[in-house]
Amino acid sequence: MEKYYPYDCKQCGNCCRHINLVEPIKNLDRGDGVCIHLTEKSLCEIYPDRPPVCNGKYVYENFYSDMTVSDFHKMIKELCKKIREMGN
């Protein structure tokens, strides 16, 4: 397996504003699709202990290791674009 390197996340918090769409973390929804751990500055207050599905390295190594890290990041970039288009 290729060695993982982090995705260049812009830390906009938009993915944390639509967690109601992600089954494994729906329980963190504060009632409006936004994660209960998202701060006013769009940062995760539990980042070091975030759920595995919120960790790019975990997701890559456990579900997408059959592709290159570069291709995985291209896929994430497209998903990120779609999430941004959904709005805040």
Side-chain angles (χ1 to χ4, degrees):
M1 172 176 23
E2 184 178 355
K3 182 175 173 23
Y4 184 79
Y5 55 91
Y7 175 70
D8 185 24
C9 177
K10 304 302 180 204
Q11 298 180 336
C12 67
N14 281 331
C15 58
C16 303
R17 289 184 181 88
H18 300 283
I19 66 165
N20 57 315
L21 304 175
V22 185
E23 192 62 42
I25 55 174
K26 280 185 175 183
N27 64 314
L28 299 177
D29 184 345
R30 68 179 188 193
D32 58 358
V34 177
C35 181
I36 60 174
H37 298 293
L38 185 65
T39 69
E40 290 180 20
K41 294 182 180 183
S42 293
L43 299 174
C44 178
E45 66 184 4
I46 62 163
Y47 187 81
D49 298 312
R50 66 197 181 279
V53 73
C54 299
N55 182 318
K57 181 178 180 182
Y58 174 87
V59 172
Y60 173 74
E61 290 178 350
N62 289 276
F63 302 103
Y64 294 97
S65 62
D66 58 328
M67 64 173 51
T68 67
V69 174
S70 177
D71 285 343
F72 175 68
H73 287 176
K74 287 176 189 173
M75 180 183 74
I76 296 301
K77 184 176 182 175
E78 285 303 310
L79 289 171
C80 184
K81 180 181 174 187
K82 288 179 183 180
I83 291 169
R84 281 194 316 272
E85 289 170 355
M86 292 173 70
N88 294 337

